Amino acid sequence: IVFIKVFILYSSKATLIKNVQVEVEARGHKVTIDEPERAGGTDLGMNPLELLLSSLGACQTIMAQSYADKMGIQYDRLVIELEGDLDTGGYKGKPGAKVGLEEIRYIVHMDSNEPQEKIEEFIHYIEAHCPALDTLINPTKVVSKGVKVTSTK
């Protein structure tokens, strides 16, 4: 089998609405991102790290749904719970503190009559082929394309 590299360009736009409330948009879909009140926001949406965790869980869930039939897996319910630890000193400038999440943990809950070993093998396959998980665990090049300043005079 010969595989040809095919790239799909994903893009999104983040626009500050007010204070720390941000509207993100991709393909015409909009999501409000905000901070809880204790962090200076209005709590109108998930914060960026909650959205990151949610994106990982959603990607794994979509991959599972996409491959279950092909791999002979039947289930009635699939839920992935995720959590991550943040040292708030990192983004506040504390020397030596990591700015991002220290660790992300997740557990897969699945209602199925399949044997545990078959489900675990299936989940390992999903983990190995989930684009969001791969983006988080393998170095991904992030490139700034500069800053465009528009005069308000």
Side-chain angles (χ1 to χ4, degrees), residues 2-151:
V2 175
F3 287 100
I4 299 171
K5 225 178 206 187
V6 176
F7 288 96
I8 298 172
L9 176 66
Y10 289 93
S11 64
S12 70
K13 178 174 70 173
T15 303
L16 181 64
I17 302 301
K18 62 180 173 184
N19 197 15
V20 293
Q21 183 183 342
V22 177
E23 180 181 270
V24 293
E25 181 178 356
R27 297 183 299 109
H29 301 285
K30 296 179 180 182
V31 174
T32 297
I33 298 175
D34 200 358
E35 291 288 342
E37 291 179 11
R38 65 174 162 49
T42 53
D43 205 21
L44 291 176
M46 290 184 267
N47 73 30
L49 293 177
E50 292 165 334
L51 189 62
L52 176 71
L53 293 173
S54 298
S55 294
L56 173 56
C59 190
Q60 290 177 314
T61 303
I62 290 167
M63 291 296 296
Q65 184 65 16
S66 299
Y67 284 93
D69 284 345
K70 294 173 188 154
M71 297 184 72
I73 300 292
Q74 293 184 2
Y75 59 88
D76 296 319
R77 182 175 156 271
L78 173 62
V79 175
I80 301 177
E81 290 183 77
L82 302 99
E83 62 185 13
D85 304 310
L86 178 71
D87 177 352
T88 59
Y91 67 83
K92 293 177 180 176
K94 178 181 169 186
K98 184 172 177 359
V99 175
L101 294 173
E102 291 279 341
E103 181 177 90
I104 295 172
R105 295 171 298 282
Y106 61 91
I107 183 168
V108 178
H109 300 273
M110 187 178 274
D111 293 348
S112 175
N113 292 322
E114 304 286 353
Q116 178 79 23
E117 301 79 30
K118 188 174 179 182
I119 295 295
E120 288 177 0
E121 183 179 303
F122 173 64
I123 295 302
H124 288 305
Y125 179 87
I126 298 308
E127 291 168 338
H129 293 85
C130 174
L133 182 59
D134 181 75
T135 299
L136 290 170
I137 64 175
N138 292 307
T140 299
K141 189 180 198 180
V142 178
V143 179
S144 170
K145 293 169 68 175
V147 178
K148 295 181 181 177
V149 178
T150 303
S151 176

